[in-house]
Amino acid sequence: MLTRTFSALTLLLGFWLLATQFVFHVPAMYQWNIAITGALIGILSISTRYVERDEREVTRIAAGANTLLGSWLVIAPFLFGIDGVQRWNAVIVGVLVSSLAGYNFYIASLLPFGGAPSGSNTDNP
């Protein structure tokens, strides 16, 4: 259950990235970076949220990709020379996405095919 909540939060962060293009007037070069990264985070979050538990490899790949995209968000503003609010927005969103998706990646690696985490007394991770 917690993994679904984290996936939903990651999806909202992906939507926020898409909206920041209009909220913070970012340069055109960086605008495409934010749009593509936000869309990919949203798509991967949806797949992580709705995939069946017996498809743990899909969950691991999607959560792992989102973790990498979150890390990219932390690095990208420094590479593109973005300052101020835009930079810190991307860094904070990147840290949140990496943390939430990283947790989902970790939990997906614990899941046996079609069940709860091994060695766990809970029904849902």
Side-chain angles (χ1 to χ4, degrees), residues 27-49:
M29 164 180 61
Y30 188 64
Q31 190 173 21
W32 279 104
N33 176 58
I34 291 294
I36 292 168
T37 306
L40 286 173
I41 287 172
I43 291 166
L44 292 169
S45 296
I46 289 170
S47 69
T48 302
R49 181 167 165 73

Side-chain angles (χ1 to χ4, degrees), residues 1-7 10 48 53 59-60 63-64 66-67 95-111 117 122 124-125:
M1 173 124 155
L2 194 56
T3 56
R4 288 183 147 210
T5 303
F6 284 179
S7 293
T10 308
T48 302
R53 285 289 181 215
T59 302
R60 286 186 65 205
N66 261 351
T67 304
V95 167
L96 288 172
V97 167
S98 289
S99 300
L100 296 171
Y103 175 81
N104 283 348
F105 179 81
Y106 170 72
I107 290 299
S109 68
L110 295 178
L111 289 176
T122 62
N124 291 322

Side-chain angles (χ1 to χ4, degrees), residues 17 26-27 29-38 41 67-84 86-95 98:
L17 282 175
V26 296
M29 164 180 61
Y30 188 64
Q31 190 173 21
W32 279 104
N33 176 58
I34 291 294
I36 292 168
T37 306
I41 287 172
T67 304
L68 292 175
L69 287 170
S71 299
W72 169 249
L73 281 174
V74 173
I75 297 168
F78 298 99
L79 295 176
F80 283 99
I82 303 300
D83 295 353
Q86 297 95 343
R87 173 187 288 177
W88 294 112
N89 177 63
V91 168
I92 290 168
V93 170
V95 167
S98 289

Side-chain angles (χ1 to χ4, degrees), residues 52-61 108-109 111-113:
E52 295 295 323
R53 285 289 181 215
D54 50 79
E55 297 292 334
R56 69 181 175 129
E57 283 304 313
V58 174
T59 302
R60 286 186 65 205
I61 291 169
S109 68
L111 289 176
F113 286 104

